[in-house]
Amino acid sequence: MTPNSCSQTAAAAAACLDLTAVSDLIARQHWSRLKALAGTTSAAAAAQLLHLLLDSPHANPPTLRLLFRWSESHFRSPQPLPLHCRLLHSLAAAKLYSDLRFELHSLAKSGRHSAPSILHSLSISGDTRRRGASLSVIADMLVLALVKNSRTESALEAFYRSRDYGCRLSVLSCNPLLSYLIKEGRIENVEKVYKEMIRRRIAPNLITFNTMIHGLCKARKLRRAGDLVEDMKTWGFSPSVVTYNTLIDGYCKSGQAGKMYKADALLREMVLAKIHPNVVTFNTLIDGYCKDGNSSAAARFLEEMKRQELSPNVVTYNSLINGLCGEGKVDEALGLLKEMDDSNVMPNVVTFNGIVNGFCKKGMLAEAKGLLDDMLERNVTPSVITFNTLIDGHCRSGLMEDAIALKRLMSGSGIRPNVSTYNCLISGFCRNGDMSSATKLLDEMEENDVKADLITYNVLISALCREGKMAKAVKLLDEMQDIGLQPSHVTYNTLIDGLCKKGNLRAALNIRARMEKGGKHANVVTYNILIKHFSGRGKMHEANELLNEMLEKGLVPNRVTYDIIKEDMVERGYIPDIDGHLCNDAA
DNA sequence: ATAGGGTTAG
């Protein structure tokens, strides 16, 4: 068959076009002349021509793509999926991978088709003999395209379904899939995908392992993360600086006892293994120590990194500035801001937010507000968080009018108040017992289409509890569950506390039952509330039983627990007969 | 294609 001969279809016979001339017009994008020659006056006609060109052995894939793109934009209507799939196959066969990526990207972005229908259409399209090999490449790129377009659910479907078509995927799509699932906090899916990768003999690489370790750390499964480090070694990969940084960060954020000691041990271990700590390593440690309330240890790490000739960057300084401000050491934070200037590290909005927060915490509201001018001078644009911090600071000092003025100022600077803004203000009004102003803000939220969140409800519930309006408070619990908001421990504990204070133990236990039903287990705070309720009423036996129950569950008593035991029980002459845990810890 | 920083509730 020669390129100019008509192919076997009836449509082609009718058209009997000079395909070389047609291709030439397409390549030169002479669309009106193409219309005259080939009659492409509709999307359907263009589709027909595309099929014709695809059937011709001399079809040129880039030309096909030009025609396809022109048709979709010119007629403002998408071409049918089977045709798109034929185009994808021809691009894959010609190894035009960047064009293929682009086409899959637009297919994924449009969201018109589900992953299974795309895979199915691909599987029955294209040259039967070469389909298998190119199907794998296309499916692999499809998963990647779906991930990049935040269509994680479809990406997962494509990942699993592609197995039914015998596709061999690669780490190039699986790694980003894992990474996105982690970003979305869907750790169960992460582990499933990983296991499926192994089952399908998609060999994990160093990045797969680092990503998985990150996911497990984020899910606070530190032991499993450690197991994976051993796994990676059996696959022939040595932990890299990223592996260590991830683990160090995992421990810093784990909340477990001695976490900073573990983080420090990992630092020593990596140095011993001749893996050099980098800026991220130090930043992670500095942030970890700051969050642990130990900014002086963090400051020593800043010195250490300088000694190792690693340049602290804006993240380094931000972590330390935030830590210092959190401890009320705003002067030292300002010293660091000066140091940034000296070493040409540009402060950004996060830097200033930290200092604004520091001033607010000390009640130095004029200084905090004054930072807005400094920011302006330095070309740093305040963010919602800057204003929220300022607003919250004013609310906490009872300066509600100034807080409202700041909200106007932020709107005037083109920053829309978000839920947090409203939460700060509502909580401020509630603290002042001004429920009518709080309610007005709730209405305003509705008008501005800002949805109430968990914190909004917690704030309102605790305000109602303080006023003893328990029926209304419980009603809000129902309401939030109705609109699909998961109540938190705080929500339940606030209600339990309110009900206990009213002496309504039965209702309090009812909420506790709802809490368990909602998958949230009683925590230390829950027990403290209940123990306080009993011991405060002289029911020492019940209080004691709750103490034991709490310890049996492995919950660790905190300061509040000890205060209750000391003031309500011991000082009134009752010695809890709970087992050894308490004596050891209390001593 | 993998790792690090900011506000708000009890």
Side-chain angles (χ1 to χ4, degrees):
Chain A
M1 188 155 47
T2 69
N4 291 348
S5 77
C6 295
S7 75
Q8 48 285 79
T9 68
C16 200
L17 285 167
D18 178 351
L19 291 184
T20 311
V22 165
S23 295
D24 188 53
L25 287 179
I26 298 168
R28 286 154 66 192
Q29 307 194 42
H30 287 174
W31 305 116
S32 52
R33 286 170 63 187
L34 181 73
K35 265 188 194 177
L37 181 68
T40 50
T41 52
S42 68
Q48 206 174 17
L49 179 60
L50 273 162
H51 277 297
L52 202 57
L53 289 164
L54 279 157
D55 288 334
S56 129
H58 294 270
N60 172 4
T63 310
L64 290 167
R65 202 164 87 77
L66 269 177
L67 177 58
F68 192 94
R69 284 285 131 232
W70 169 80
S71 147
E72 285 204 340
S73 71
H74 188 259
F75 300 111
R76 288 176 212 286
S77 89
Q79 286 291 0
L81 183 58
L83 181 57
H84 208 164
C85 286
R86 285 197 74 184
L87 175 67
L88 295 171
H89 272 293
S90 82
L91 291 169
K95 299 197 191 308
L96 293 167
Y97 296 130
S98 71
D99 289 20
L100 183 58
R101 252 192 301 277
F102 182 96
E103 282 304 325
L104 282 162
H105 181 85
S106 85
L107 193 61
K109 192 178 173 188
S110 84
R112 268 192 306 274
H113 307 285
S114 72
S117 58
I118 296 171
L119 279 174
H120 176 256
S121 190
L122 279 168
S123 74
I124 56 171
S125 135
D127 183 321
T128 342
R129 282 159 305 155
R130 293 151 76 189
R131 191 157 64 201
S134 67
L135 194 57
S136 283
V137 178
I138 301 172
D140 200 39
M141 289 187 170
L142 172 66
V143 171
L144 186 62
L146 290 166
V147 167
K148 284 194 170 165
N149 282 284
S150 316
R151 292 186 56 198
T152 334
E153 206 50 58
S154 302
L156 268 176
E157 254 183 320
F159 170 79
Y160 287 115
R161 287 287 187 101
S162 62
R163 181 167 121 130
D164 304 340
Y165 299 99
C167 295
R168 287 194 57 90
L169 299 187
S170 76
V171 281
L172 269 83
S173 67
C174 295
N175 288 347
L177 175 62
L178 291 171
S179 172
Y180 271 76
L181 288 169
I182 292 166
K183 269 198 195 101
E184 293 178 2
R186 300 169 58 173
I187 192 68
E188 342 71 60
N189 286 297
V190 174
E191 294 195 79
K192 272 193 207 147
V193 167
Y194 176 74
K195 284 197 186 116
E196 176 73 8
M197 279 175 74
I198 305 293
R199 199 175 308 137
R200 280 160 73 173
R201 311 210 180 288
I202 302 167
N205 62 10
L206 176 64
I207 296 191
T208 316
F209 284 108
N210 285 343
T211 307
M212 284 303 298
I213 291 166
H214 178 217
L216 291 167
C217 284
K218 198 179 167 199
R220 301 205 170 174
K221 296 182 175 178
L222 287 172
R223 280 194 57 114
R224 306 250 2 244
D227 292 344
L228 220 59
V229 174
E230 295 312 309
D231 282 359
M232 74 190 278
K233 288 176 188 164
T234 68
W235 281 79
F237 298 105
S238 306
S240 68
V241 62
V242 175
T243 320
Y244 277 104
N245 289 348
T246 307
L247 287 168
I248 289 173
D249 190 52
Y251 274 103
C252 286
K253 295 194 166 84
S254 70
Q256 64 176 242
K259 57 181 188 176
M260 293 319 293
Y261 179 80
K262 276 294 291 186
D264 214 59
L266 281 165
L267 175 68
R268 281 196 298 273
E269 184 186 313
M270 72 189 282
V271 171
L272 219 61
K274 300 249 183 301
I275 296 164
H276 299 293
N278 61 16
V279 183
V280 177
T281 320
F282 280 100
N283 289 352
T284 308
L285 283 162
I286 287 172
D287 191 60
Y289 277 106
C290 283
K291 295 257 159 62
D292 201 35
N294 192 348
S295 64
S296 45
R300 284 197 291 278
F301 273 103
L302 173 64
E303 294 315 310
E304 176 61 23
M305 74 187 286
K306 287 184 204 157
R307 226 174 45 75
Q308 294 192 16
E309 300 194 4
L310 288 169
S311 307
N313 60 19
V314 64
V315 177
T316 322
Y317 285 108
N318 288 348
S319 288
L320 246 176
I321 285 174
N322 272 301
L324 288 167
C325 287
E327 293 176 25
K329 299 172 177 168
V330 192
D331 293 340
E332 287 182 47
L334 289 172
L336 282 178
L337 185 63
K338 173 78 170 53
E339 187 178 314
M340 291 175 82
D341 281 334
D342 295 341
S343 44
N344 278 323
V345 180
M346 295 278 273
N348 62 16
V349 61
V350 179
T351 322
F352 281 101
N353 287 348
I355 301 173
V356 168
N357 189 28
F359 277 133
C360 284
K361 286 251 153 68
K362 297 196 93 174
M364 300 165 74
L365 299 176
E367 286 84 349
K369 228 188 290 188
L371 282 170
L372 287 177
D373 301 320
D374 291 319
M375 294 174 78
L376 204 70
E377 235 171 72
R378 290 172 182 254
N379 263 323
V380 178
T381 316
S383 67
V384 223
I385 296 180
T386 320
F387 280 103
N388 288 351
T389 310
L390 277 170
I391 288 171
D392 186 61
H394 284 77
C395 287
R396 282 174 192 280
S397 299
L399 301 168
M400 294 313 296
E401 282 175 20
D402 298 77
I404 293 289
L406 278 163
K407 177 172 153 277
R408 265 198 301 276
L409 181 64
M410 80 185 274
S411 301
S413 351
I415 300 170
R416 297 170 73 88
N418 62 12
V419 222
S420 305
T421 318
Y422 285 104
N423 287 345
C424 294
L425 287 163
I426 291 171
S427 134
F429 282 124
C430 287
R431 259 193 303 265
N432 287 358
D434 184 353
M435 291 307 281
S436 81
S437 298
T439 314
K440 273 187 199 132
L441 280 176
L442 282 173
D443 296 337
E444 189 185 312
M445 283 175 81
E446 186 126 354
E447 274 168 39
N448 296 342
D449 214 33
V450 179
K451 300 265 178 290
D453 68 358
L454 169 69
I455 295 178
T456 322
Y457 277 94
N458 284 351
V459 167
L460 293 170
I461 288 172
S462 78
L464 289 168
C465 286
R466 256 200 312 274
E467 296 191 348
K469 295 178 175 162
M470 295 315 301
K472 282 192 178 174
V474 176
K475 223 170 165 182
L476 283 181
L477 176 67
D478 300 331
E479 186 182 303
M480 69 187 287
Q481 290 189 309
D482 283 346
I483 61 171
L485 282 174
Q486 263 308 323
S488 64
H489 275 104
V490 180
T491 323
Y492 293 114
N493 287 340
T494 309
L495 282 162
I496 293 172
D497 186 48
L499 290 163
C500 279
K501 282 187 176 139
K502 280 229 141 183
N504 194 345
L505 180 69
R506 185 184 286 274
L509 293 178
N510 187 25
I511 299 290
R512 187 186 157 174
R514 271 179 81 167
M515 170 174 186
E516 301 282 344
K517 225 173 110 188
K520 294 263 186 294
H521 300 299
N523 63 14
V524 200
V525 180
T526 323
Y527 278 102
N528 286 347
I529 293 165
L530 292 169
I531 294 168
K532 174 91 190 161
H533 171 83
F534 285 112
S535 65
R537 278 155 215 268
K539 297 187 176 177
M540 299 309 179
H541 180 68
E542 284 89 340
N544 188 41
E545 284 207 328
L546 279 165
L547 264 174
N548 275 319
E549 185 184 315
M550 159 178 183
L551 292 169
E552 267 162 34
K553 285 191 180 170
L555 292 170
V556 185
N558 61 16
R559 271 299 300 263
V560 180
T561 324
Y562 289 127
D563 283 347
I564 297 169
I565 295 170
K566 186 166 172 286
E567 288 163 23
D568 286 12
M569 303 174 92
V570 179
E571 279 178 13
R572 292 194 200 171
Y574 182 89
I575 307 296
D577 64 341
I578 50 177
D579 43 41
H581 312 75
L582 188 66
C583 300
N584 294 334
D585 289 16

